[in-house]
Amino acid sequence: MKNFILYCVFIFFIGISSYGQGKIGRTEESLKKNEKTTKNSKSSISNNNSNNNLLTELVGGFFVQIFAYTVYGIAIESPFEVEHQASNAHLSKHPYFNSKKGNYTYEWNQDTPLFRTSLSAKYIMENSRLKGSHLNMDLRFLKRFGLELNYLQLWENNPNFGNDNLAIYTALAKYHRVRTEKFNAWWGLGPSYVDGAVNELGFTYGLGAELFFTKPLSLETNFNQTFINSETINKFNGLINYHIKKHKLIMGYEHLKIGSQTFSTATVGIGVFF
C-alpha cells in the first residue's frame, strides 16, 4: 500500500511539470532542435541521347529566362512601371508633411530627405499574466531601400513556476516595391535570433504595406515568418496610426505564432520620425 501511494505521488508531480508549464515555456520547448536521423538515398540515371539533352537545355534555358524576367518584374519593377511617377518617387520628411501625401511624394524640394529614420515602441498584452514590448527602428534611404531592426520581448507570470521570458531579435534588409503618395508596400529578407532557452538563429522574410486613406490616419499591416529548426515564428499585426506632425500614435492587433503556441494581443504605442 505504501509503495502504491508513493507511485501515485510520483505520477502526480510528473503531470504537473508537464502540463503546468506556461505558454512561453512550451514555446521554447517546441523551438529547440530535435535530433533526428535521416537517410540519404542515391540514384543514378544515364541518358545517351545527345539530341534530347540539347533540346532540353535550349527549352530549359528559355523558361529560366522567362521565369527570371517575371520574378524581376514582380519583386523589383516591371517595364510598364518605369514611366510612372511612382518609379522615381521621393521620400517625404514624414507622413502628411506635404498635404495628404504619405511616405512618398512625386515632387522634389529642399525638404525632401535622402535618408529617413523612424522609431516606435509598442506595448502588447494578451492577458494579465502575459505581456510584452515591441521596439522597432526603420531606416529608409535611396528612395527604394531600407533596414529594419526589431526587438520583441515577452514576459509571462506563471503562478506555479514563476516568471518566464522570451526575446526575438530581427534584422531585415528591405526593398520598397510600391511607392505611391497614398500607398506603399515592401518585402524584406534577413536573420532572426531567438534568445532565452532556445538560443537559435533562423532565416526571416517579411512583407508589409501602409495605406494613407485620410489625413491624419493610416492603416498598416506587416507579416514576418522565421524558420527555426523544424518550426516557424509568425508575426502579424494590423495597426491604425494617428499622425501628429512628426509623431504617430499606434493602436491595433498583433498575432504571434511561436513554435507550437499562439498569442493574440492588443497593442498600443508611439512613434517618431527623424
Side-chain angles (χ1 to χ4, degrees):
M1 185 65 180
K2 182 178 180 181
N3 291 336
F4 176 75
I5 294 175
L6 290 175
Y7 177 76
C8 291
V9 171
F10 175 76
I11 294 297
F12 174 76
F13 281 105
I14 289 296
I16 289 180
S17 63
S18 299
Y19 296 99
Q21 194 176 26
K23 290 182 73 172
I24 289 181
R26 296 194 296 272
T27 292
E28 292 174 329
E29 288 298 324
S30 68
L31 290 178
K32 288 181 181 178
K33 187 175 182 180
N34 295 321
E35 296 295 333
K36 296 180 179 180
T37 58
T38 59
K39 296 182 179 180
N40 297 325
S41 60
K42 297 183 179 179
S43 62
S44 60
I45 300 175
S46 60
N47 189 346
N48 297 321
N49 194 328
S50 60
N51 291 330
N52 287 341
N53 287 341
L54 178 61
L55 179 62
T56 301
E57 290 178 2
L58 291 175
V59 174
F62 174 72
F63 280 107
V64 166
Q65 291 182 11
I66 292 179
F67 177 75
Y69 184 80
T70 303
V71 169
Y72 180 86
I74 294 173
I76 307 300
E77 190 173 55
S78 69
F80 309 102
E81 298 173 277
V82 174
E83 300 302 324
H84 192 275
Q85 286 180 300
S87 177
N88 197 39
H90 305 278
L91 280 171
S92 62
K93 197 168 184 178
H94 58 75
Y96 295 121
F97 176 76
N98 294 315
S99 184
K100 300 179 180 181
K101 301 174 184 178
N103 284 315
Y104 287 91
T105 176
Y106 298 152
E107 300 175 359
W108 185 92
N109 57 56
Q110 61 181 3
D111 292 319
T112 302
L114 295 177
F115 302 87
R116 198 186 77 185
T117 303
S118 64
L119 299 175
S120 66
K122 293 182 293 180
Y123 172 78
I124 62 177
M125 181 179 70
E126 183 177 62
N127 51 51
S128 60
R129 293 187 303 173
L130 202 152
K131 304 172 184 179
S133 64
H134 219 151
L135 304 179
N136 184 279
M137 180 172 69
D138 186 59
L139 295 86
R140 300 186 187 220
F141 51 91
L142 301 179
K143 303 177 182 178
R144 302 179 181 222
F145 302 100
L147 175 65
E148 179 180 322
L149 302 177
N150 190 282
Y151 169 66
L152 171 65
Q153 175 73 62
L154 296 175
W155 296 278
E156 183 178 22
N157 182 15
N158 191 311
N160 298 320
F161 292 88
N163 297 328
D164 204 354
N165 62 82
L166 179 70
I168 303 174
Y169 306 84
T170 303
L172 285 179
K174 298 167 66 175
Y175 180 79
H176 293 274
R177 173 63 179 83
V178 181
R179 304 170 303 281
T180 71
E181 293 182 333
K182 288 287 188 178
F183 176 79
N184 62 267
W186 58 267
W187 58 266
L189 303 172
S192 286
Y193 178 74
V194 184
D195 206 343
V198 181
N199 290 325
E200 291 281 352
L201 188 68
F203 169 78
T204 300
Y205 73 88
L207 305 168
E210 189 168 7
L211 173 66
F212 297 86
F213 60 98
T214 185
K215 186 178 182 179
L217 301 175
S218 69
L219 290 174
E220 182 181 0
T221 182
N222 299 287
F223 174 78
N224 286 2
Q225 185 172 55
T226 301
F227 300 93
I228 298 286
N229 298 321
S230 59
E231 292 286 350
T232 63
I233 298 173
N234 300 342
K235 294 185 288 185
F236 169 81
N237 61 60
L239 306 171
I240 184 165
N241 301 316
Y242 186 91
H243 298 271
I244 309 172
K245 295 184 178 180
K246 66 176 184 178
H247 302 87
K248 66 178 179 180
L249 303 178
I250 307 166
M251 64 181 300
Y253 168 79
E254 185 161 340
H255 180 80
L256 303 170
K257 177 187 176 296
I258 307 177
S260 63
Q261 302 299 304
T262 59
F263 306 81
S264 295
T265 68
T267 179
V268 294
I270 58 173
V272 62
F273 298 88
F274 298 96

